[in-house]
Amino acid sequence: GFAHAGDDQRRMDALFLRAGILFEAGYPDTAVPLFRQIIEYGENIRSPRWIARGAYAIGNCEVDRRNLGEASMHFHTALVIFREIGPEPDRVATEWGVARVVLHSGQLREAIRRLRDVEAQFERRGMVTDAALVGLDIAEALLALDRPKEIVALAKHLFTVFTEAGMLTGALSAIAYLKQAAAANHLKAPAGIGRR
């Protein structure tokens, strides 16, 4: 409809939304070509913001597809632009993407350092649920490093944040990390968490 009306801006907004839904539903292979259209549109109209949005989105898809080199390249493109023109939350989200690349490449300690920095930046901006989502990546790294006691404190915090925000999936993920930490270290899960 927007294409027929000649409203390219809204057509790209709709395309970006459609691609984002496909990505969130677990179809990064289908989302990537749509995000590439976003980048092409940005290049055609010389809009760095559209290029950065598309590059950031493809970076996330490539992390999920385990194409870490591709992900890193796209995050770098987005990061250069977001550092120059903002907005700051998009820059921080892109730094989170870079940290996820580091995490999935096996550099766990460096990933934790980067993830904690991103988490702190989100918290300073009052973006508490985003910070908690970063916390799930930190828990993944801590689990791989066999640091279950740190996971327990983190998972309790994440469970509270996600529960208060009504984010059931996040709360369940926090419980799963807590249970894995308990199993790894024979710890008892704290009262009220993960018991039904």
Side-chain angles (χ1 to χ4, degrees):
F2 291 133
H4 182 70
D7 191 338
D8 285 339
Q9 174 76 34
R10 287 190 177 166
R11 181 174 64 87
M12 286 297 115
D13 285 337
L15 183 66
F16 191 85
L17 178 61
R18 180 177 174 211
I21 291 168
L22 286 166
F23 169 72
E24 292 294 334
Y27 300 104
D29 294 341
T30 309
V32 166
L34 301 180
F35 286 130
R36 287 195 198 287
Q37 289 181 45
I38 299 294
I39 293 174
E40 289 170 13
Y41 173 73
E43 291 170 346
N44 289 337
I45 67 165
R46 296 187 177 146
S47 169
R49 182 159 282 117
W50 277 111
I51 294 168
R53 289 180 72 195
Y56 165 75
I58 290 175
N60 281 324
C61 291
E62 296 298 358
V63 169
D64 281 10
R65 297 192 322 173
R66 297 297 189 255
N67 295 329
L68 300 181
E70 283 287 314
S72 181
M73 181 185 71
H74 283 93
F75 284 138
H76 177 73
T77 298
L79 197 53
V80 167
I81 295 169
F82 287 139
R83 280 180 177 158
E84 185 176 328
I85 66 171
E88 281 297 298
D90 288 348
R91 178 193 55 79
V92 176
T94 305
E95 289 176 356
W96 178 15
V98 172
R100 290 178 60 227
V101 169
V102 174
L103 172 65
H104 291 292
S105 68
Q107 301 171 55
L108 301 175
R109 286 177 178 80
E110 175 63 12
I112 289 171
R113 184 190 69 75
R114 288 173 180 254
L115 289 164
R116 285 194 169 137
D117 180 58
V118 168
E119 179 185 46
Q121 290 185 66
F122 277 141
E123 285 176 350
R124 278 195 299 273
R125 288 171 174 77
M127 301 170 71
V128 181
T129 54
D130 290 282
L133 289 168
V134 174
L136 291 176
D137 288 330
I138 294 171
E140 180 179 338
L142 291 172
L143 189 63
L145 288 170
D146 195 27
R147 290 160 55 179
K149 289 182 182 176
E150 292 175 66
I151 295 171
V152 171
L154 177 60
K156 286 169 58 177
H157 168 71
L158 297 178
F159 179 81
T160 300
V161 170
F162 288 131
T163 302
E164 288 176 2
M167 297 174 67
L168 178 60
T169 302
L172 293 174
S173 296
I175 291 169
Y177 279 116
L178 185 62
K179 287 183 177 181
Q180 290 177 48
N185 206 36
H186 306 294
L187 299 169
K188 290 184 179 177
I193 296 183
R195 300 201 179 160
R196 295 278 173 213

